[in-house]
Amino acid sequence: MLNGNSITRERIAAMEPRIRPFVRHTPVLGVDMADFGRPPLGVDLKLECLQHSGSFKARGAFTNLLERRVPAAGVVAASGGNHGAAVAYAAMRLGHKATIFVPEVSPPAKLERIRGYGAELVVGGARYAEALAASEDFAERSGALQIHAFNQKETLVGQGTLGLEIEADLPELDTLLVAVGGGGLIGGIAAWFAGRIRIIAVEPEGAPTLHRAFEAGRPVDAPTEGIAADSLAPKRVGEMMFPIAEAFVERSILVSDDEIIAAQAALWDRVRIISEPGGAAAFSALLSGRYAPAAGERVAVLVCGANANPARF
């Protein structure tokens, strides 16, 4: 069993109907890589970028708020933007106060979304680690319930419901490409599939959190740079997800900022999908050729976030 028996297929399956009234079953779009200038290959895009709050994070946010007792002080979260937006949205829907701490690197589109959901927003610190420290201090002083973006069993279980949904949508799937920051998403999905499909992690070269952890055999600090630093650069992967990744994630592929930008542009130009850099990272592994599927391999890519300014497209 993984990590105290808490992140299991059984718990994920039990959680899915609890959060179902609050999250969307997001669509799958079939594309041909020939349309993107690559050799012909049918690929399925799971469009979790169309989830409430603009990313998959709503799943973990609702799981936390439904599974844990929320005090009068409400909830607090640290985030590069997407987790904060999801927690703010879930708190609004369920009638709780929310305070969200974000670093200065968070883009305006994400800050506007957090404010739009009625949360108290605090911006400060250069990167996620500083926002996390400030949120922990606030939780201690106020009594607010802290909701961690990735190193929290409820968060992992909630993100695991996306694995359940992908399997229902694509029962013949061989390989799934998933972007990684702190690892809550890939950890939850890998716990659901438990080795029944190939799961490939995709990370920016400037923030190789899981890549470094695999090399060291444990979570270790990694650089926190690059175009996707607001969503894929938390310094290190979570302690809870790492044994799951060791067991069920085949490997990590690194992609460059230029390749991520090219994937963003291609998703918009060819299929009119808006994705933020972190949301396009997994697709960039296919578009760049860094992941080359075998003949007949059935591949899906998770497009996990869309909190970007449409004007730039």
Side-chain angles (χ1 to χ4, degrees), residues 93-296:
R93 285 286 307 272
L94 297 175
H96 300 297
K97 293 169 56 178
T99 305
I100 309 298
F101 288 78
V102 300
E104 294 161 1
V105 71
S106 297
K110 296 184 179 183
L111 304 187
E112 291 167 12
R113 186 169 287 268
I114 293 168
R115 290 191 183 100
Y117 294 140
E120 182 73 23
L121 180 65
V122 182
V123 182
R127 287 290 187 265
Y128 170 78
E130 287 88 347
L132 178 61
S135 73
E136 291 170 340
D137 178 66
F138 177 86
E140 186 174 345
R141 288 186 288 105
S142 68
L145 177 68
Q146 188 156 24
I147 301 179
H148 199 283
F150 52 88
N151 199 36
Q152 177 80 39
K153 62 181 182 295
E154 289 85 2
T155 303
L156 282 156
V157 168
Q159 318 312 24
T161 66
L162 181 50
L164 183 158
E165 190 171 299
I166 290 169
E167 184 169 24
D169 291 340
L170 302 167
E172 303 302 318
L173 184 63
D174 294 318
T175 303
L176 178 65
L177 275 63
V178 183
V180 175
L185 176 61
I186 201 169
I189 289 174
W192 172 259
F193 281 106
R196 291 176 297 116
I197 67 169
R198 178 183 297 109
I199 295 179
I200 303 294
V202 183
E203 304 180 82
E205 290 175 341
T209 52
L210 185 57
H211 197 87
R212 290 282 180 91
F214 279 157
E215 289 177 339
R218 59 185 174 84
V220 293
D221 287 355
T224 58
E225 303 302 327
I227 191 170
D230 63 302
S231 60
L232 301 182
K235 196 170 186 179
R236 64 168 63 188
V237 293
E239 298 284 343
M240 290 184 178
M241 70 77 63
F242 186 66
I244 305 172
E246 275 198 310
F248 301 130
V249 175
E250 182 177 285
R251 67 184 186 274
S252 165
I253 293 173
L254 301 182
V255 292
S256 70
D257 279 1
D258 286 345
E259 287 164 343
I260 292 172
I261 293 168
Q264 266 190 294
L267 286 170
W268 173 246
D269 289 341
R270 306 304 167 88
V271 286
R272 283 301 188 255
I273 293 170
I274 292 178
S275 63
E276 62 189 271
F283 185 66
S284 75
L286 265 186
L287 186 66
S288 66
R290 291 187 182 249
Y291 184 76

Side-chain angles (χ1 to χ4, degrees), residues 11 21 31 35 51 67 72 76 176 178 184 186 246 295:
R11 187 166 181 198
V31 299
D35 293 334
Q51 187 55 260
E67 286 280 275
V76 58
L176 178 65
V178 183
I186 201 169
E246 275 198 310

Side-chain angles (χ1 to χ4, degrees), residues 34-53:
D35 293 334
F36 298 89
R38 299 291 302 173
L41 174 72
V43 172
D44 290 301
L45 305 179
K46 177 62 170 174
L47 301 182
E48 192 67 5
C49 52
L50 301 180
Q51 187 55 260
H52 289 298
S53 77

